[in-house]
Amino acid sequence: MPKSVTRLLCMLLVHVSLIHVAVIAQNLDDRYPGNLNPITGPSDTDSLAEAFSIATPDLQAPIALLVELETGAVLYAENADRAYPPASLTKIMTIYTALEIYENLGISMDDPAEFSPSAWWFNAPPQSSLMFLGPDQRVSIGELILGLLVSSGNDAAMAIAETSAGSMEGFILRMNQNAAQMGLTDSYFVGPSGYSAQNRASAYDLARLTQRYIARWPWVIEEFHKVRSFTYPREENLLSDDDRSTINITQYNRNGLLDDYPGATGMKTGFIDESGYNLLASARREGMHLLAVILGIQGSSSAEGSRLREADAAALLDWGFDNFSLVDVPLDALELEVSRGSEEVLTLPAESARLLVAGDGRNLSLTSRHPAGILAPVNRDQVVENLVWSQDGVTLGELNRRAPEDIPASRGLQYLWDSIVLFFRRLFGGYSPLEGGLAG
């Protein structure tokens, strides 16, 4: 064999032995768009309102946030990273934690609830909102949750903690574990009711929590959060006739937007002296599901505080629906050459992605980044194309498209032949297939 050929084969074998394959395995787009896109912030530009220089409504609340729940887009933010006493907005973490435990234990909404006298209404702290749990009552898990979310009962919060985790201490530990797992860095909970001013959460954290909560259990909107009133205890809840002083007490959902705002879907009100009047208000229109977080409204009375927080939330929701929209953008099919693989071509199918845009989406542009080819082995979910959408110079979203299936490397003599071909294409043609996945 000529020395020049021997030298070439030696170089080739050394080159093949040094090839390093980096594998990235993750599901379709971990940022935007997708089924659950994390709410980001704060950043240099905290919201689309700032990025597009869109005039915003005048609000009373010192802390406010508006997000679109499906895309995770932040439309408006004011002091949204400030830790603040959430009052009864804490009960969103309470119901999240409880549903997770009930689900793991196989407990249904119709199952009877058992709890200690600590959860009876007359043992609750002064000025507590109550569902009026008491001795000699029969109550289901579902009724406890209605008492928590409609009546905003602090007694219901105590009972739910006991029926799920077995103890108040254990439940609070689970609440804070959930907060840590979700990355809610500005949140800390000392109780399930929100009565204590030592509970802390930022508007961003409350939005992230709510997004995760309704994505995991979407049925809670109709079953609990859109319920206008709840009556408890009723005749069937009483096991004796000893105390009928609290029978048939009907309480109405304190979120007045359920009656007055078109498309309202929930979520929760809160008040303690230290926080003022707080509100999580969500509404769905034309495919968009917006969530407004209003914290720190001050009012001289309950009626005034409730009116002001609802006015702020309605103004923010109106502004969001008026200035933004969701569009479905098509993604073209893409074929990438596969080098040294069992298949010659990797195909990404045509599909679509959902994007939140300013106005009707005019001046929307797309930048695609992908290699001319890719080096086997290819792992399913390996990033092979990166797409970035912008509008009027503002980056709206990013999508990583991923390999739909594994493509193993060729074998034996075919692998050697493919390696020789690849070597010469690199040497003389400047061909450089992607090794591993694209950086996001």
Side-chain angles (χ1 to χ4, degrees):
M1 180 181 293
K3 291 183 179 180
S4 59
V5 175
T6 302
R7 189 180 304 113
L8 180 61
L9 286 175
C10 289
M11 290 172 57
L12 175 63
L13 290 173
V14 171
H15 178 77
V16 169
S17 67
L18 292 176
I19 290 174
H20 172 70
V21 179
V23 176
I24 299 176
Q26 47 192 331
N27 293 326
L28 179 63
D29 193 43
D30 46 11
R31 282 170 293 178
Y32 193 113
N35 291 328
L36 182 60
N37 302 285
I39 295 166
T40 58
S43 62
D44 291 338
T45 301
D46 285 344
S47 69
L48 293 178
E50 290 182 73
F52 285 105
S53 300
I54 300 173
T56 56
D58 292 327
L59 304 178
Q60 297 287 324
I63 301 171
L65 178 69
L66 183 68
V67 301
E68 204 285 316
L69 290 169
E70 180 183 352
T71 60
V74 177
L75 284 66
Y76 174 95
E78 183 67 33
N79 298 319
D81 57 340
R82 175 182 165 191
Y84 196 78
S88 280
L89 305 191
T90 298
K91 292 175 171 121
I92 298 297
M93 178 58 88
T94 300
I95 183 59
Y96 182 98
T97 302
L99 286 179
E100 186 173 60
I101 297 173
Y102 292 150
E103 195 174 75
N104 291 337
L105 295 177
I107 295 174
S108 75
M109 295 297 101
D110 295 326
D111 285 346
E114 297 183 2
F115 45 86
S116 75
S118 297
W120 293 347
W121 70 268
F122 44 77
N123 291 326
Q127 297 181 319
S128 284
S129 51
L130 302 165
M131 75 170 285
F132 293 99
L133 293 171
D136 296 324
Q137 291 181 4
R138 178 193 300 111
V139 59
S140 69
I141 296 295
E143 287 174 314
L144 279 185
I145 295 175
L146 285 169
L148 179 81
L149 298 176
V150 179
S151 308
S152 199
N154 292 350
D155 50 350
M158 297 279 289
I160 284 173
E162 292 186 6
T163 59
S164 56
S167 70
M168 183 62 60
E169 294 77 13
F171 189 81
I172 295 169
L173 178 63
R174 287 291 292 270
M175 292 174 72
N176 286 304
Q177 287 175 340
N178 279 335
Q181 289 169 1
M182 293 182 205
L184 309 184
T185 55
D186 298 313
S187 295
Y188 180 74
F189 300 100
V190 299
S193 69
Y195 182 88
S196 172
Q198 295 179 48
N199 289 303
R200 284 290 189 273
S202 67
Y204 276 122
D205 282 359
L206 291 167
R208 293 180 182 115
L209 167 62
T210 303
Q211 181 194 41
R212 183 73 65 90
Y213 164 57
I214 62 175
R216 187 166 179 180
W217 300 287
W219 52 269
V220 297
I221 290 176
E222 295 294 334
E223 293 293 322
F224 302 128
H225 292 282
K226 290 178 69 174
V227 175
R228 265 59 170 187
S229 65
F230 178 58
T231 300
Y232 186 89
R234 295 170 295 177
E235 194 72 40
E236 56 266 33
N237 297 115
L238 301 182
L239 298 177
S240 73
D241 292 330
D242 292 345
D243 183 8
R244 302 177 65 84
S245 61
T246 58
I247 193 170
N248 291 330
I249 297 176
T250 297
Q251 299 187 69
Y252 295 90
N253 199 314
R254 293 171 176 82
N255 181 5
L257 296 184
L258 289 174
D259 294 315
D260 301 330
Y261 195 84
T265 58
M267 298 294 296
K268 192 69 189 75
T269 62
F271 169 80
I272 55 175
D273 289 338
E274 294 86 348
S275 72
Y277 294 85
N278 302 335
L279 177 61
L280 290 172
S282 57
R284 195 192 305 272
R285 291 186 198 167
E286 299 179 355
M288 279 201 298
H289 199 181
L290 298 184
L291 174 71
V293 185
I294 302 295
L295 301 177
I297 288 285
Q298 301 301 312
S300 59
S301 65
S302 176
E304 182 186 40
S306 297
R307 177 181 61 80
L308 291 174
R309 71 183 172 189
E310 289 171 14
D312 267 14
L316 207 48
L317 291 168
D318 281 344
W319 174 85
F321 287 121
D322 288 343
N323 288 280
F324 298 91
S325 60
L326 280 179
V327 297
D328 290 314
V329 292
L331 305 180
D332 294 334
L334 177 66
E335 290 189 348
L336 297 176
E337 178 185 348
V338 179
S339 296
R340 216 169 53 196
S342 60
E343 303 288 339
E344 295 182 353
V345 175
L346 181 150
T347 301
L348 297 179
E351 53 185 326
S352 64
R354 180 155 286 189
L355 193 68
L356 188 116
V357 299
D360 58 6
R362 294 179 184 178
N363 302 324
L364 189 64
S365 62
L366 171 65
T367 301
S368 171
R369 183 169 62 93
H370 63 80
I374 189 166
L375 186 66
V378 178
N379 288 40
R380 184 184 179 187
D381 286 339
Q382 184 172 308
V383 178
V384 295
E385 184 184 23
N386 174 260
L387 301 172
V388 177
W389 286 274
S390 60
Q391 184 181 12
D392 295 326
V394 176
T395 299
L396 294 177
E398 184 173 352
L399 172 64
N400 288 326
R401 298 181 78 186
R402 304 170 192 274
E405 60 186 359
D406 293 333
I407 300 180
S410 54
R411 303 178 64 183
L413 292 175
Q414 184 63 49
Y415 181 85
L416 181 60
W417 174 252
D418 290 344
S419 297
I420 293 172
V421 171
L422 177 60
F423 176 79
F424 282 104
R425 290 185 68 187
R426 281 173 163 164
L427 184 63
F428 297 111
Y431 178 67
S432 180
L434 174 70
E435 299 185 41
L438 282 173

